[in-house]
Amino acid sequence: MDFAKNLLADNVRVLKSQVTKTAYQGVAIAVVSIIIASALVSYYHTGHISLDGVAKAQTENYALWILDSIPFVFGFWGQYSSSIIAYQAGAMIFDQTQELRSRAESLEKQASYTATHDGATDLPNRALFYDRVEQAILSANSQNKLLSILLVEVANFKEIYDTLGRNSSDLILKQVATRLQNVVVSRDSVGRIDGNIFSVLLLDTEDENDAVNLAKNIQAALEPAFMVEKLHVAVHSNVGIVNFPMHGEDVDTLVQKAGVALFMAAKSHEGYGIYAPSFDDHSPRRLTLMSELRQAIDKNQLHVYYQPKVSIRTGVLYGAEALVRWEHPKHGFIAPDEFIPMAERTRMIKHLTTWVLKEAFLHCADWHRRGIELTISVNLSARDLHDPELPDVIAGVAASTAIKPSWVMLEITESSIMSDPERTLEIIQRLHGMGYRFSIDDFGTGYSSLAYLKKLPLTELKIDKSFVGDLSHSENDAVIVNATINLAHNLALQVTAEGVESQEVLDTLKNYGCDIAQGYFLSKPLSFVEFNQWMQQAEWQPVKLNN
Ligand code: C2E
Ligand code: MG
Ligand code: MG
């Protein structure tokens, strides 16, 4: 506050000195007027201007007396009003600065709130919940205390969503959140970390019974039916429990093991369960793989493969889609469909996406250096598109690999946009502004909203392979594909058909006016080295610049 007072006093001093300058000018003008007036009176009375005449005029002329007082009036009035004006101006600037500052602060607070909270329930989102667990682990470690994490799953959420739609199912999630917050000791310890999974952090537990009792209370609280649109909706819940430090020492391991416990809880009679290492043998492979994925990148077990995209009309090689592969030492080759959803559930996906972007950009830069003009397509997951840092991550990778944004096509899916349209749209717009192009992947499989499609700055629409594979034999698929191509062209988008497995399908697509084909008929996804060899002998050649 002292600082503010000093600032105001300084401002007043500066402004006052400026206004005082104007007051001095006023006084100077008044003095000059007196001299001229005295000289004129002297001339009028004596016929010439002399000191005697001026002195006489000064003593005898009443009008001059009044004029003589004016500099003093000006001086005093100038000083007085300058002080007032300067003070008012200073105070005004000060008030406005304060207002601007508090407005900026509240905007900042709002932005950080939306980045850390879930829009539907207002609960902390995954990032904030993980952060809180990390803090809790630090203090539990220093004080030798225990803590538990409970994952609460709304098991029949998909049914509820499919039957009641998004708005009503969001209302149910909100009610679930409220009931959970009322069961736990601290309202801050509840989060929503996935579509149908809530998380609860229980601090300072004495033994395992504390968490089990809480799990029972949670289930009792979620037992009574929920009311939405005058309907009674029953929620079936399961609860998985892990304890720190017994089951893991970091948040990722703990949440992963809570996931295993949740899986076993769903199979149990009680609907809740504490993690036990023996569960790993019974749980699906994906649950145990989750913790291994973290090291897979460092151990060089991940590879990026490239699948060619060919322009149907010209026969020119248009580009390649980067598809990640995991070569597991024990399980062999693992498809991305198995580990990407897994990575999305933990914070691994950011790490994975950044790594894929780096590899793909490096390889694309290599093609361009050799004069081979290819567009590189990279898949982004839903969680990437919720990350406000994504544009900066991509800009950083692009700069370090010397790639131009116009060489890149970022593939996004309908469902990844629909889960949080506003936030996603903002991130997409930022990247678009930086020169990156977007493609809507797996078109036709999600809950499409044409209204949103129009809002997105898209360049390409990719028809999902489930409509393309059987195109020449299924009349239904043929109608869908043809209509989608027309729709895309009406929206000024280029169309890629994925899953092209035969010449017949390629010919049909050509008849429909489809722009680009991708599929096993052209080539399976290949390693970078294989892709380069394939390019040398393939019927489809890239555009080459002479450099
Ligand atoms: P997607 O982006 O739709 O990729 C096309 C998938 O179709 C690839 O599967 C590709 O191998 C497969 N495919 C291509 N041609 C044919 C064909 O003629 N017939 C059939 N039956 N399939 C074909 P893949 O590589 O297993 O990838 C599956 C999905 O995993 C991808 O679908 C994409 O959604 C995701 N994915 C792959 N790599 C990444 C990545 O680096 N990041 C993210 N976020 N997702 C990725
Ligand atoms: Mg794709
Ligand atoms: Mg696809």
Side-chain angles (χ1 to χ4, degrees):
M1 209 54 207
D2 271 356
F3 171 74
K5 264 189 198 155
N6 291 341
L7 192 71
L8 181 60
D10 282 350
N11 282 345
V12 167
R13 212 171 301 128
V14 171
L15 287 167
K16 218 170 122 184
S17 79
Q18 282 175 5
V19 183
T20 304
K21 216 188 282 168
T22 314
Y24 282 147
Q25 284 166 357
V27 171
I29 291 169
V31 169
V32 171
S33 312
I34 291 168
I35 295 169
I36 294 172
S38 306
L40 281 175
V41 170
S42 155
Y43 185 75
Y44 180 74
H45 283 299
T46 62
H48 59 271
I49 299 169
S50 66
L51 267 179
D52 278 352
V54 169
K56 203 164 170 221
Q58 276 292 334
T59 44
E60 288 175 6
N61 195 312
Y62 302 136
L64 282 182
W65 289 4
I66 296 170
L67 200 58
D68 286 347
S69 65
I70 288 207
F72 301 102
V73 174
F74 261 17
F76 176 74
W77 178 58
Q79 279 296 314
Y80 175 73
S81 52
S82 74
S83 299
I84 304 251
I85 292 170
Y87 190 81
Q88 282 176 343
M92 239 153 86
I93 292 167
F94 184 67
D95 284 351
Q96 284 164 355
T97 314
Q98 287 287 80
E99 196 185 320
L100 280 176
R101 195 173 297 152
S102 74
R103 248 193 248 174
E105 266 169 22
S106 84
L107 279 176
E108 231 170 68
K109 267 190 204 150
Q110 203 182 329
S112 88
Y113 186 85
T114 44
T116 52
H117 287 78
D118 160 48
T121 61
D122 253 356
L123 288 179
N125 62 13
R126 174 185 290 272
L128 182 58
F129 182 78
Y130 273 44
D131 222 47
R132 292 202 170 146
V133 175
E134 266 162 9
Q135 302 291 336
I137 288 177
L138 279 181
S139 76
N141 251 337
S142 63
Q143 297 168 28
N144 261 338
K145 288 200 165 152
L146 309 180
L147 57 88
S148 305
I149 296 173
L150 292 83
L151 291 190
V152 183
E153 167 197 51
V154 176
N156 56 338
F157 185 68
K158 189 172 179 322
E159 262 171 74
I160 295 174
Y161 189 98
D162 289 346
T163 322
L164 300 178
R166 182 173 166 175
N167 288 346
S168 300
S169 42
D170 274 0
L171 285 178
I172 291 185
L173 290 176
K174 180 112 193 85
Q175 292 177 44
V176 170
T178 310
R179 290 194 198 180
L180 284 177
Q181 283 180 313
N182 286 304
V183 179
V184 298
V185 183
S186 154
R187 293 172 68 84
D188 288 348
S189 58
V190 182
R192 181 174 168 221
I193 62 166
D194 212 343
N196 65 333
I197 299 185
F198 292 84
S199 48
V200 178
L201 173 63
L202 182 60
L203 299 171
D204 301 340
T205 41
E206 295 287 325
D207 55 47
E208 289 188 343
N209 284 337
D210 288 358
V212 170
N213 286 337
L214 180 59
K216 285 182 191 164
N217 290 343
I218 286 173
Q219 286 198 312
L222 299 181
E223 185 78 40
F226 290 77
M227 274 296 280
V228 60
E229 288 174 2
K230 297 191 184 136
L231 290 173
H232 291 266
V233 182
V235 156
H236 305 301
S237 65
N238 297 305
V239 186
I241 306 166
V242 274
N243 296 318
F244 166 88
M246 292 79 99
H247 301 141
E249 305 212 332
D250 62 274
V251 55
D252 287 305
T253 311
L254 286 166
V255 173
Q256 181 250 322
K257 294 197 166 157
V260 175
L262 188 59
F263 178 79
M264 297 309 281
K267 294 183 164 256
S268 76
H269 177 63
E270 290 94 355
Y272 63 82
I274 302 177
Y275 170 81
S278 62
F279 286 178
D280 288 344
D281 302 333
H282 305 288
S283 68
R285 192 172 68 155
R286 67 188 163 85
L287 287 175
T288 43
L289 281 180
M290 201 131 84
S291 54
E292 295 175 335
L293 181 57
R294 277 194 299 152
Q295 291 133 31
I297 296 179
D298 304 331
K299 290 185 179 166
N300 271 337
Q301 291 173 5
L302 294 190
H303 308 281
V304 176
Y305 274 46
Y306 299 92
Q307 188 174 35
K309 287 172 76 177
V310 168
S311 163
I312 300 178
R313 202 165 31 83
T314 60
V316 165
L317 180 60
Y318 170 84
E321 177 172 8
L323 295 158
V324 68
R325 304 280 177 259
W326 184 1
E327 231 180 287
H328 192 281
K330 196 164 112 202
H331 304 296
F333 183 83
I334 304 174
D337 278 337
E338 190 173 352
F339 65 89
I340 295 280
M342 206 160 81
E344 284 189 322
R345 251 174 269 129
T346 63
R347 289 170 302 175
M348 267 305 296
I349 191 69
K350 185 172 180 175
H351 203 38
L352 184 92
T353 303
T354 311
W355 181 83
V356 171
L357 282 166
K358 233 178 243 168
E359 284 285 301
F361 282 16
L362 268 176
H363 289 153
C364 180
D366 183 72
W367 291 325
H368 280 258
R369 238 189 331 269
R370 290 191 274 136
I372 304 169
E373 283 228 310
L374 295 184
T375 291
I376 183 77
S377 298
V378 183
N379 293 282
L380 294 179
S381 87
R383 218 170 274 290
D384 294 323
L385 290 168
H386 295 170
D387 179 6
E389 285 176 7
L390 180 74
D392 303 314
V393 169
I394 295 184
V397 177
S400 69
T401 50
I403 203 161
K404 287 198 184 129
S406 58
W407 301 344
V408 181
M409 183 81 79
L410 298 169
E411 294 197 1
I412 55 180
T413 60
E414 296 161 85
S415 43
S416 67
I417 302 153
M418 295 322 291
S419 63
D420 190 350
E422 259 109 273
R423 192 161 3 149
T424 313
L425 194 62
E426 206 183 300
I427 292 169
I428 292 173
Q429 291 289 11
R430 262 187 73 198
L431 281 162
H432 175 64
M434 288 156 65
Y436 291 95
R437 290 175 295 160
F438 282 89
S439 168
I440 189 109
D441 201 0
D442 302 344
F443 188 78
T445 56
Y447 297 93
S448 5
S449 153
L450 284 177
Y452 253 97
L453 212 59
K454 249 183 74 187
K455 275 195 197 172
L456 292 167
L458 295 173
T459 300
E460 181 188 70
L461 182 150
K462 284 184 96 170
I463 307 178
D464 189 64
K465 53 181 176 287
S466 59
F467 302 106
V468 177
D470 211 18
L471 184 59
S472 342
H473 303 112
S474 156
E475 215 167 288
N476 265 349
D477 287 352
V479 170
I480 293 171
V481 169
N482 199 0
T484 310
I485 293 170
N486 287 330
L487 167 85
H489 284 166
N490 283 335
L491 291 168
L493 305 176
Q494 73 179 28
V495 189
T496 292
E498 57 176 31
V500 178
E501 294 185 358
S502 65
Q503 180 73 53
E504 220 180 341
V505 168
L506 190 62
D507 291 343
T508 315
L509 287 167
K510 190 171 186 177
N511 280 341
Y512 290 166
C514 182
D515 307 291
I516 294 164
Q518 178 182 346
Y520 294 164
F521 179 66
L522 304 146
S523 167
K524 289 204 164 189
L526 304 166
S527 70
F528 181 61
V529 174
E530 289 168 342
F531 187 89
N532 287 335
Q533 286 164 355
W534 176 89
M535 263 196 294
Q536 286 180 351
Q537 48 77 41
E539 160 182 357
W540 298 279
Q541 286 295 312
V543 171
K544 283 204 177 164
L545 290 178
N546 298 322
N547 64 348

